[in-house]
Each structure stands twice: as C-alpha cells, then as structure tokens.
C-alpha cells in the first residue's frame, strides 16, 4: 500500500516510507500498504480481474466458493502466518529508527537518506522474476530463496544487536550512512522473502483454501510490524515502562534495541532451520487439488513487463500514479518527526496506531461498496482534496503542539485531537487506495493478471516513496535560522551554527521549512487535482481492449 501514517509506515509492505503520517514508516500508506498488495501470481486476482472486465457476476460468484476443509491444512496456514509475521519484524524495526533518530536531533537530510530503507518493497518487481525462475528443484522452488534469505536476516539482526548502540550513540552523532546500509539490506531481504512466501502460498495450500493466503499475508505482516514497531517502542521507553509496567522506576525500558534484535535474530535462525529440515515443499495433500504455478522464464517476464508499460493507457496511468502523491508528501513523511521534535513521546505516537486497527479493517470493506462499479476512480478523485486539507490540518497541529505541552507531558485531549486527525487521514487514504486497487483489478488483462496487477501496485507504492524522500530532504534547505546573542554570526550551516554557539549566541528558527513544504505541497496537489485528476478519471472511459497487452493475444 502506500505509506502515510504517522503512527505505523506499513509500506509498508509499505508500512510507510520514512515517516508515515506519524511514524516514519507510518509505512502503511506503508505503507504500505504493501501488506495488502496482491501476490504477483495470485489466481484469485486473475479471476477477479477477469470477472470485472467481462462483467460476469455469475462467474465471480462461481469463483468465490466458500473454502472447505481448512482444518486439514491448518498447519500450512499457521506456517504461512508465521512466515509473514517474521517478514513484518524487520519492517517494524526499520519504521522505529527514524523516530529514535529524531529524538537524537539528526538533520532532516539524514532522515531523507534513511528513508531509502523503505524503497525495496516498492522495487521488488525488478528482481521478482529472478526469484521465481532460478532455484534448486531438489531443495524446492521457494525454499531455495526463503531459507538463505531468512538466515541472512537472522545474521544481520545478530550483527546489529552488537553494533547498533555504537551506530546510534557515536561521538559525532548517529552513523546514518551505516544504519541506512544495514537496514536497507534488512528491507531488501524481507522483500525477497515476501516474493518467495507469496509464491509458496499458492502451492502450499490446496485450491479451495488458497484464499487464506491473502489473509495470512495481511494479518501476519500487520502483527509483525506491530511487534517490531509499536511494541518495541513501548517496551524500550523508560517513561512508558515506569508509568504502566513497573512499581519501581528505572532509567531504561524493559528491553533495549540490542536485546530485541538479538532475540529475533535467534528466532529467525532457529525457525529457518526447522523449516529447512522438516517442511517438504513439494508434498501433495491427499485428495487436494494444488494450484498450478506459473513457470514463465526470466527474460519472458521482463519482456512482458516492458510490453505492458509501452501501452499508451498504462503509460499514462503510471505517470499519473507517480505524481499523484506529491501533494501529500510533507504531511505523510514529516509530520510524525515534527511532533517528536516538539516533545511528543515517540512511544505514545506509536501506541495511537492501536485503536486504528479496527478502522483499518472496516474501511476497505465499507469503501469497496462504492468502488465496485464501472468508475472506481471517482472515489479517488473525490477523496483527493479532503486528504490535502487534512495535510494542512497536520501542519496546524504541529504548530499548536508546543503551546499545549504541560509539565507532565501532554493532556488527554491533545492525544484525542491527534487520534481524530489520524482517523480522518485514514478515511481519505483508504478511499484513494481501495479505489486504486479496484481500478487495477478492473483493467488488468486476465491472461496476465498477476504480473499486470503487481506492476500497477509497484508503481503506486513508488509514487508515494520518492515524494516522501524528497520532502524530508527539503525541510532543512527551506528552514531559515538566525543567530541571536552573537553579532555578525549566522546559522546557515552546521559549522556556522557551531560558531554562533561558541560566541555565546543561539540559533533560532525564524521560518520552519515544514510549513513552507506543507503549503507548497497543497498548492501542487490542488493543481494536480484540477488538471491531471480529471485526466485520470477519463481513463475509466477507455474500452477494456485499450488495456489488453496485444503481444499476448
């Protein structure tokens, strides 16, 4: 999905990029919302796309047969769920790092650099054909990638458990480049594991139960992200633990980042070993009809993707998807970090994601009733300006936050305002997201539905990632500061700021770049809505033939 929640950055699968609405990986727009992204070769998706294109209600009903006999495959369902939970752990941890960095006063340029960590899930289509086509048949098509990938995840976590404190607490400040490199590898490995697990899910379950794969994906990734982000930030916070979990206050939380990484590193290594030894990939269930997997070659898949992108309607739609979220980038990527900068405890922001879970479950169900017709992008278009206005509301919230702070923290009504703001944001975000997914299913060529859908979902996620990274990068250049208390000094660079302080002065912000960005983004967003938004709506008027990949017919 996209990324844009400050309290959670599903992307991502996108839980979010660098700072979903309130959590740099509020990766749930993360963000991605990649977690609900459809698998690249999901037969249910192809069936749904075919039903939408042909308008055959009877056919859709025939495909949605109630799954039977899931008890006989409960072990496989639980294994899939566990694998998706493991996938969410490194994503959740990556989403917590920007909040930790912000509490250490790193620059927004550093935050922008770290936000590249959230890109692999939006780019995995580039190497997914390799994962699908290259493997050791004796070991198993999916295990050939799953086992080494999870071993590497475990080893990276053990390495980080030893070095992360020195990376975060070095004399010159956090070593952002090294942190980014390591967490980028974690995200890359998690995305690769996702490709393998998505593929395995289609053959691990029988045809009548394969629908449970998407449930395992959504529930498992969300649970893993929650464990790695919300639960970790709460247990790592001394204030939270002293207030709610202890009778005698202590200076540290119940767990440290090193402890958490070490624990999950061991879990990855042990569980992967058990899967490698005990789980046979190619076993056939008695009386169960297995789903036939695609076996398209690497070059054939890349050629197919190129042919899809070359189609005029698809090319136009992708260009619109890549630019649609510029207007939301400041609100989605920077707001959560600004609240932490203003003194809001990062663990409190993370915990505000908890009451959002029921809303995030219900919203797609409710919204899908309005996107089921022939013009789902009408919902996208109508929700667009409301999401822009919510971004301005976020800027107002950040501006008011310092004045609402009290000696004991923030009053309850402040968190209620934040929660209501976040809930409104989720309604607008999900309205746009569900509308987009419905249109993807409507136009995807049923003969290549999996590849088609994954391409469109990838472009959608990337359209949220690059503006968020750019928004973080531009905060500092757009911010104006002056040196007060030391004549002749300025604060235009870290060196000049150091001289100002050395001369007895202090750097004071006269214009925060976040507010400049918020206004500029809304103006750009409104311009996009007025001119390009109508162009996107008109794409719905093209005939189904305009979306068919002719090289495959």
């Amino acid at each position: 999905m996209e990324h844009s929640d400050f309290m959670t950055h599903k992307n991502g699968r996108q839980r979010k990029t660098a700072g979903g609405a309130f959590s740099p990986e509020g990766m749930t727009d993360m963000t991605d919302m990649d977690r609900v992204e459809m698998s690249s070769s999901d037969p249910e998706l192809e069936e749904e796309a075919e039903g939408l294109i042909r308008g055959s209600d009877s056919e859709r009903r025939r495909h949605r047969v109630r799954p039977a006999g899931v008890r006989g495959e409960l072990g496989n369902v639980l294994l899939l769920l566990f694998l998706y939970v493991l996938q969410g752990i490194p994503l959740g941890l990556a989403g917590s790092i920007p909040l930790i960095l912000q509490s250490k006063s790193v620059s927004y340029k550093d935050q922008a650099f770290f936000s590249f960590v959230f890109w692999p899930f939006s780019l995995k289509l580039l190497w997914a054909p390799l994962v699908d086509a290259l493997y050791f048949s004796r070991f198993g098509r999916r295990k050939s990638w799953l086992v080494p990938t999870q071993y590497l995840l475990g080893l990276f976590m053990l390495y980080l458990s030893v070095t992360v404190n020195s990376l975060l607490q070095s004399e010159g400040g956090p070593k952002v480049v090294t942190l980014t490199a390591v967490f980028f590898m974690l995200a890359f490995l998690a995305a690769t594991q996702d490709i393998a697990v998505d593929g395995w899910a289609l053959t691990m379950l029988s045809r009548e139960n394969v629908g449970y794969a998407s449930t395992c994906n959504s529930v498992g990734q969300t649970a893993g992200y929650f464990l790695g982000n919300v639960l970790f930030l709460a247990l790592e916070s001394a204030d939270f633990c002293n207030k709610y979990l202890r009778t005698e206050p202590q200076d540290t939380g119940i767990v440290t980042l090193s402890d958490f990484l070490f624990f999950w590193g061991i879990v990855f290594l042990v569980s992967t070993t058990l899967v490698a030894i005990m789980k046979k990939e190619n076993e056939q269930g008695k009386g169960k009809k297995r789903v036939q997997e695609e076996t398209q070659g690497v070059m054939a898949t890349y050629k197919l993707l190129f042919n899809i992108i070359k189609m005029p309607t698809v090319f136009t739609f992708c260009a619109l998807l890549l630019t649609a979220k510029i207007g939301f980038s400041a609100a989605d990527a920077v707001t959560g970090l600004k609240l932490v900068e203003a003194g809001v405890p990062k663990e409190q922001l993370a915990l505000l994601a908890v009451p959002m879970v029921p809303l995030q479950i219900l919203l797609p169900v409710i919204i899908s009733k309005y996107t089921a017709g022939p013009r789902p992008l009408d919902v996208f278009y109508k929700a667009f300006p409301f999401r822009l206005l919510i971004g301005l509301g976020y800027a107002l919230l950040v501006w008011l936050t310092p004045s609402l702070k009290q000696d004991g923290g923030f009053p309850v009504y402040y968190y209620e305002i934040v929660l209501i703001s976040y809930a409104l944001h989720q309604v607008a975000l999900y309205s746009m997201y569900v509308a987009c997914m419905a249109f993807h299913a409507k136009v995807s060529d049923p003969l290549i539905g999996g590849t088609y859908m994954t391409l469109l979902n990838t472009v959608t996620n990337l359209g949220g990632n690059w503006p968020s990274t750019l928004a973080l990068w531009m905060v500092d250049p757009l911010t104006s500061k002056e040196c007060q208390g030391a004549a002749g000094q300025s604060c235009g660079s870290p060196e000049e700021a150091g001289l100002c302080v050395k001369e007895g002065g202090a750097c004071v912000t006269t214009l925060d770049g976040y507010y400049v960005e918020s206004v500029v983004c809304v103006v750009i967003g409104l311009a996009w809505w007025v001119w390009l938004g109508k162009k996107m709506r008109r794409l719905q008027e093209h005939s189904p033939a305009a979306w068919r990949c002719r090289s495959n017919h």
Side-chain angles (χ1 to χ4, degrees):
M1 197 164 145
E2 330 174 3
H3 337 264
S4 82
D5 312 12
F6 25 115
M7 324 184 186
T8 52
H9 167 293
K10 212 175 163 276
N11 140 63
R13 298 192 193 318
Q14 238 150 31
R15 262 338 133 248
K16 173 149 194 152
T17 82
F22 279 30
S23 126
E25 191 33 34
M27 295 216 127
T28 80
D29 202 21
M30 157 2 136
T31 214
D32 252 47
M33 295 185 186
D34 226 17
R35 57 185 173 139
V36 275
E37 174 188 333
M38 325 272 188
S39 142
S40 66
S41 57
D42 190 333
E44 285 198 338
L45 271 183
E46 297 181 29
E47 291 169 359
E48 185 172 357
E50 185 174 3
L52 283 166
I53 292 172
R54 296 181 180 174
S56 171
D57 291 335
S58 62
E59 186 173 5
R60 267 180 287 174
R61 285 195 293 270
R62 179 161 54 83
H63 283 315
R64 291 173 184 171
V65 177
R66 186 178 182 85
V70 71
R71 289 186 180 181
E73 294 191 287
L74 188 59
N76 286 341
V77 171
L78 292 177
L79 174 59
L80 276 179
L81 184 64
F82 178 70
L83 292 175
Y84 281 119
V85 169
L86 289 183
Q87 184 186 120
I89 298 295
L91 298 179
L93 281 170
S96 69
I97 297 298
L99 296 176
I100 294 174
L101 292 175
Q102 194 66 12
S103 64
K104 297 181 180 297
S105 302
V106 303
S107 69
Y108 281 93
K109 184 177 180 180
D110 287 337
Q111 290 282 13
F113 192 77
F114 188 83
S115 72
F116 283 109
V117 164
F118 306 112
W119 283 51
F121 263 92
S122 296
L123 299 173
K124 64 183 181 180
L125 187 61
L126 296 178
W127 66 93
L130 297 174
V131 177
D132 281 333
L134 305 178
Y135 54 91
F136 298 104
S137 56
R138 299 186 75 180
F139 188 55
R141 181 177 182 180
R142 305 305 174 181
K143 284 172 63 178
S144 295
W145 288 92
L146 178 77
V147 171
T149 297
Q150 290 197 170
Y151 271 135
L152 286 173
L153 278 165
L155 292 173
F156 264 102
M157 287 186 170
L158 292 180
Y159 164 76
L160 267 176
S161 71
V162 177
T163 60
V164 71
N165 286 336
S166 63
L167 294 175
L168 286 170
Q169 299 171 3
S170 61
E171 289 185 8
K175 296 180 179 178
V176 176
V177 173
T178 306
L179 280 169
T180 302
V182 176
F183 275 95
F184 183 91
M185 279 306 302
L186 282 177
F188 173 80
L189 291 169
T192 305
Q193 188 254 29
D194 179 55
I195 298 167
V197 177
D198 282 350
W200 198 3
L202 299 178
T203 54
M204 187 184 294
L205 301 179
S206 58
R207 181 173 292 277
E208 61 265 31
N209 292 322
V210 74
Y212 285 101
S214 60
T215 303
C216 292
N217 181 317
S218 181
V219 174
Q221 256 203 359
T222 302
Y225 191 88
F226 180 88
L227 292 172
N229 186 279
V230 179
L231 183 65
F232 162 69
L233 288 172
L235 296 181
E236 186 258 354
S237 167
D239 290 340
F240 180 86
C241 293
N242 291 337
K243 186 174 181 179
Y244 298 106
L245 304 176
R246 289 179 174 144
T247 54
E248 296 183 7
Q250 296 182 25
D251 295 333
T252 60
I254 292 176
V255 301
T256 64
L257 182 54
S258 292
D259 296 336
F260 198 81
L261 284 163
F262 181 81
F263 171 79
W264 284 107
I266 295 298
V267 170
F268 265 89
L269 295 180
V270 172
S271 61
T272 304
T273 301
L274 292 175
V275 169
I277 295 173
M278 302 180 67
K279 180 63 179 174
K280 298 288 190 295
E281 181 172 337
N282 299 317
E283 60 190 1
Q284 296 291 325
K286 295 180 180 179
K288 304 281 186 179
K289 186 178 179 182
R290 298 281 153 175
V291 176
Q292 187 65 37
E293 279 197 281
E294 295 177 9
T295 55
Q296 199 157 295
V298 177
M299 295 311 297
T301 302
Y302 284 121
K303 184 178 179 181
L304 174 60
L305 289 172
F306 183 68
N307 287 334
I308 295 171
I309 294 172
K310 281 197 307 181
M311 296 161 56
T313 49
V314 175
F315 186 84
T316 301
F317 186 47
C318 287
L320 292 170
L321 289 175
L322 286 173
T323 55
K325 295 174 191 168
I326 296 175
F328 316 126
S329 56
D332 290 356
V334 189
T335 300
L337 302 180
K338 278 295 177 183
L339 291 179
V340 172
E341 184 181 317
V344 181
K346 59 184 183 296
E347 65 277 5
Q348 294 290 353
L349 280 183
L351 285 170
L352 286 177
V354 177
M356 287 295 104
V357 173
L359 184 65
Q360 291 170 341
I361 293 172
L362 291 173
L363 276 175
V365 177
I366 297 171
I367 296 167
S368 62
K369 296 178 182 178
Y370 300 94
T371 60
R375 300 182 61 86
L377 290 182
D378 287 355
V379 175
F380 180 99
Y381 184 80
K382 291 173 182 176
F384 198 99
F386 289 101
R387 188 168 167 188
L388 289 174
L389 290 176
I390 291 168
L392 288 179
Y394 277 174
L396 179 62
L397 178 65
V398 171
W399 183 71
L400 290 172
T401 294
S403 64
L404 298 177
K405 189 175 183 180
Q406 301 174 351
D407 292 340
F410 289 89
V412 174
Y413 72 82
Y414 172 79
Y415 290 110
E416 291 175 348
I417 293 172
V418 174
L419 195 61
I420 292 171
S421 302
Y422 186 39
L424 292 173
H425 177 267
Q426 290 293 285
V427 172
L429 183 155
Y430 272 87
S431 295
M432 294 176 62
Y433 174 70
V434 173
C436 244
M437 292 301 104
F439 187 68
H440 292 177
K442 178 178 182 293
V443 301
S444 292
D445 189 331
L447 295 186
I448 49 173
T451 302
Y452 209 122
M453 281 285 295
T454 305
L455 170 65
L456 295 179
N457 291 345
T458 297
V459 173
T460 300
N461 286 334
L462 189 59
N465 272 333
W466 78 262
S468 293
T469 296
L470 182 62
L472 287 166
W473 203 284
M474 293 301 297
V475 172
D476 287 336
L478 293 174
T479 297
S480 299
K481 294 182 179 181
E482 64 179 28
C483 181
Q484 295 183 357
Q489 299 297 325
S490 63
C491 298
S493 68
E495 294 76 17
E496 292 173 340
L499 285 173
C500 172
V501 174
K502 190 175 181 180
E503 294 293 326
C507 286
V508 177
T509 299
T510 54
L511 179 63
D512 194 322
Y514 167 67
Y515 301 119
V516 177
E517 271 192 7
S518 296
V519 174
V520 170
C521 283
V522 169
V523 171
I524 293 174
L526 285 173
W528 189 98
W529 182 65
V530 170
W531 284 292
L532 297 180
K534 293 177 181 177
K535 188 176 184 67
M536 180 178 272
R537 290 180 79 182
R538 286 197 295 270
L539 287 174
Q540 300 173 117
E541 298 167 7
H542 287 278
S543 67
W547 301 90
R548 298 290 179 100
C549 191
R550 291 174 179 79
S551 64
N552 285 272
H553 291 241

